[in-house]
Amino acid sequence: MNTLMIIIILLASVVASLYWGIVLSVKLPLWDRRFNRKPFNCRPCLTFHLVATSGSLFALLLLSVELFLAGIATAFTVFFIVRYIDNKKVIK
């Protein structure tokens, strides 16, 4: 599969997942008490699941094992970056 296509798909997936991870981790627990647990109220966890799911969906649609493996690796990388950023926040 074209490397540029994999990069573009994963970049779009990461950007969308970062946005929805921020929004949904706050909104979902307010909508229903069943969403007040991990991975729904944890921004790094929700972002990981969104990236992994969207990467897997695109890999399934395009029948690409390379995209699937790159999506899982990207999901772990994004998880550790977002977790590091969240741990650096000072809450008063």
Side-chain angles (χ1 to χ4, degrees):
M1 178 175 259
N2 190 2
T3 306
L4 184 60
M5 182 188 293
I6 291 175
I7 291 171
I8 291 171
I9 289 172
L10 289 179
L11 183 65
S13 175
V14 167
V15 169
S17 297
L18 284 172
Y19 172 74
W20 287 111
I22 292 170
V23 172
L24 291 177
S25 66
V26 174
K27 299 259 182 193
L28 283 177
L30 298 176
W31 288 342
D32 193 358
R33 66 180 175 86
R34 290 177 286 197
F35 292 124
N36 197 13
R37 64 180 82 162
K38 285 187 179 181
F40 303 113
N41 64 356
C42 172
R43 188 168 70 111
C45 301
L46 185 58
T47 304
F48 168 81
H49 284 90
L50 290 172
V51 172
T53 303
S54 61
S56 299
L57 240 156
F58 281 115
L60 183 64
L61 289 174
L62 298 174
L63 299 174
S64 172
V65 175
E66 296 88 9
L67 181 57
F68 175 75
L69 295 175
I72 297 299
T74 303
F76 277 109
T77 305
V78 170
F79 169 77
F80 288 119
I81 291 171
V82 173
R83 190 180 80 175
Y84 177 77
I85 291 170
D86 276 1
N87 286 342
K88 290 293 179 181
K89 287 183 181 177
V90 176
I91 299 173
K92 292 182 181 183

